[in-house]
Amino acid sequence: MELAQLIVNDLLNAVQTAAHMNDHAYAKLLMDALKDAREQIQDEYVTIAGRYGNPQTLMAFYQQLMTTVKPKHYGTVAQLPASGMAWPSP
């Protein structure tokens, strides 16, 4: 999730930089739209992080879960010696 946010922010930065380099009539409207997009992305990030947790809390939950849940051993898997060919001969 953080990677997606980083990519989108980099794209917005690239658009903002390109818009500053070109002097056109819609530059102010574009800057306002970029500002609104950044705010919406930040709001979505806060909402999703609040719902699912940030990467650190998710990793802590996973590690705690792995230590709590003990694996079940259903038996050993032993490889039998090969006594013949892997494929039947015609």
Side-chain angles (χ1 to χ4, degrees):
M1 183 171 81
E2 288 183 348
L3 180 61
Q5 183 187 21
L6 181 66
I7 290 170
V8 170
N9 279 334
D10 286 347
L11 289 172
L12 291 173
N13 286 337
V15 171
Q16 186 174 7
T17 302
H20 279 298
M21 291 170 55
N22 295 328
D23 189 23
H24 54 83
Y26 296 105
K28 175 70 172 131
L29 292 174
L30 179 60
M31 292 303 145
D32 292 341
L34 289 174
K35 181 180 173 224
D36 292 342
R38 284 182 197 275
E39 290 172 358
Q40 288 177 352
I41 290 169
Q42 184 62 29
D43 291 344
E44 288 292 323
Y45 178 80
V46 169
T47 301
I48 292 172
R51 183 177 300 159
Y52 300 110
N54 60 24
Q56 292 81 18
T57 57
L58 291 174
M59 181 57 78
F61 173 77
Y62 174 76
Q63 289 173 341
Q64 199 274 334
L65 182 67
M66 289 292 107
T67 57
T68 303
V69 177
K70 300 294 181 196
K72 293 185 180 184
H73 298 286
Y74 294 105
T76 60
V77 177
Q79 184 174 2
L80 298 176
S83 58
M85 295 175 48
W87 300 98
S89 59

